[in-house]
Amino acid sequence: MSYLEKLLQGVEVRWDPLEDFADYRQPTKYLVNSNQYNDDFKTPVLTAGKTFILGYTDEIDGIYKASENPVIILMIYHS
């Protein structure tokens, strides 16, 4: 029995594609150029799979304003 089967304990689940509920955007255009972060800057640099906030940047290009449009950051692994 898989971990997921144990977790669900026999409850039937309907699996729907994520795109039925949310718009997906490839994050490539939201990458900052510099890794010279500074806590004096205002814009947090986020990354999946590492520490959530790497640091803060003063860059203005490559910034997605999540305060204007809430986002979910996903890291999907395929085996």
Side-chain angles (χ1 to χ4, degrees):
M1 181 179 285
S2 74
Y3 175 75
L4 185 57
E5 290 170 327
K6 289 178 188 176
L7 186 65
L8 292 174
Q9 298 179 356
V11 173
E12 190 168 328
V13 175
R14 187 178 95 198
W15 299 97
D16 293 320
L18 181 60
E19 60 264 12
D20 288 356
F21 304 98
D23 294 327
Y24 173 77
R25 293 187 191 159
Q26 185 69 280
T28 308
K29 68 180 182 179
Y30 303 114
L31 300 176
V32 295
N33 293 314
S34 173
N35 62 358
Q36 300 300 311
Y37 308 129
N38 186 315
D39 289 342
D40 293 331
F41 299 143
K42 292 176 25 175
T43 305
V45 178
L46 309 176
T47 185
K50 295 183 180 178
T51 57
F52 195 68
I53 296 179
L54 285 177
Y56 296 84
T57 185
D58 63 347
E59 289 187 44
I60 57 172
D61 295 325
I63 303 300
Y64 182 89
K65 295 185 178 181
S67 60
E68 295 174 8
N69 294 298
V71 298
I72 298 173
I73 301 171
L74 298 174
M75 189 70 164
I76 300 173
Y77 295 97
H78 295 277
S79 55

